[in-house]
Amino acid sequence: VLEQATMIVGSEMLRLRSVDAAEERARGDFVHALLHGRLSNPQELAARAAYYDFDTAGRYGVVVTRAVGVAGSTESQQKMQQLVRAASALLARRGMPSLVTIVGDVLAIVLQTESDSLQRGSRQVDAFARDLHRELTRLDGRALTVTYGRPANGATKIVDSYREARVALGVCERLLITDVSGYGELRVFGALLELASSQRGQIFAREVLEPIRKAGKKSGGDLEEAVVTYIECSGNLNAAARRMSLHRNT
C-alpha cells in the first residue's frame, strides 16, 4: 500500500507541476500576443482575456528592462527568473493589475493604469518604473536601464506602448543611460534612431558621408572623424581640436 501510495502521490505531483508549467506558458503566450499585436480578432481577444480576467478596455503602459548576462546561458535564465520574481512581488505589494513576461533577454511588464486620466496614468507608470529600477539595482548591484512607453487605451494598443518602450530602451543603451526613461522624454532621439535605421536614412548617410570619405583618402586625413567629432562637441571648434589633438586651424 505504501509503495502504491508513493507512486500515486509522485505521479500526481508531476501532473500538477506539468499543469502549472502549461498554464504559465499559455499566460506567457497571451502576453506575447498582446505585445506583438497578434490578437487582431476581437472574439479571440475577448475569450483569452476573460480567462485571465484581463480588462480589454483598460489603459495600459509597458515597462521593459534588459537582463545582464549572456542570452541563452544558465546565468542569464536564472537572472531573468530573478527579475520576474522581483517584478511580480513589487506588483503584488502595490496591488496593480499587470502581466509579466520575458521576450528574449528583455523583461516586459504590461501595467494597468488609471483609465480616466492620461497624465495620472503616465505618473503611475513612471512611479512603478522607478520602484522597479531601485529594486533591481539592489538585487543586481548594478543599475539596469528601465524604460517605458506611453499608456494606451485598450488591449489592442498595448503593442504601441511596447514599441515605444523598446525604442526608448535602445536609445538609452546607445547613450549609456542607466536610469529610468520614458519614451516621451526621448522621442526626438527615438525618431532619429528609427530614421537612421531606415533605408532612406542609410542612403542619406551614404550620400553625405561618401564625398567626405573620398576627400579624406585623397588628403591623407580622416575628415569623417573630424566632422563627427565637431558635431559631438556641439560645434565647438576648440573642443573638437583638443579631442583630436590637432591645431584649431588644421
Side-chain angles (χ1 to χ4, degrees), residues 94-177:
R94 295 173 67 98
M96 302 178 75
S98 59
L99 296 170
V100 183
T101 193
I102 298 171
V103 184
D105 61 347
V106 171
L107 174 71
I109 302 162
V110 180
L111 193 69
Q112 186 170 3
T113 69
E114 296 287 344
S115 58
D116 60 337
S117 170
L118 177 60
Q119 189 175 15
R120 189 182 307 168
S122 298
R123 287 199 299 266
Q124 285 183 322
V125 176
D126 182 77
F128 171 78
R130 294 187 183 282
D131 287 347
L132 181 66
H133 182 265
R134 283 192 293 269
E135 182 69 14
L136 298 184
T137 300
R138 183 186 65 80
L139 287 174
D140 192 70
R142 289 174 288 183
L144 299 181
T145 301
V146 178
T147 59
Y148 57 90
R150 291 171 295 183
N153 284 325
T156 57
K157 298 297 184 181
I158 288 174
V159 61
D160 296 329
S161 184
Y162 175 63
R163 180 188 63 81
E164 291 181 354
R166 290 297 299 258
V167 168
L169 182 62
V171 170
C172 285
E173 289 176 341
R174 290 196 178 199
L175 298 179
L176 304 179
I177 298 174

Side-chain angles (χ1 to χ4, degrees), residues 41-93:
N41 186 316
Q43 290 75 25
E44 181 186 3
L45 173 59
R48 297 185 67 176
Y51 183 80
Y52 295 107
D53 195 23
F54 185 80
D55 182 11
T56 58
R59 189 192 297 272
Y60 296 94
V62 180
V63 180
V64 299
T65 185
R66 196 182 304 276
V68 177
V70 181
S73 68
T74 303
E75 177 191 359
S76 180
Q77 293 172 4
Q78 293 173 348
K79 179 71 67 177
M80 292 303 297
Q81 292 303 322
Q82 185 182 27
L83 295 183
V84 169
R85 288 193 295 270
S88 300
L90 182 60
L91 289 162
R93 291 198 298 271

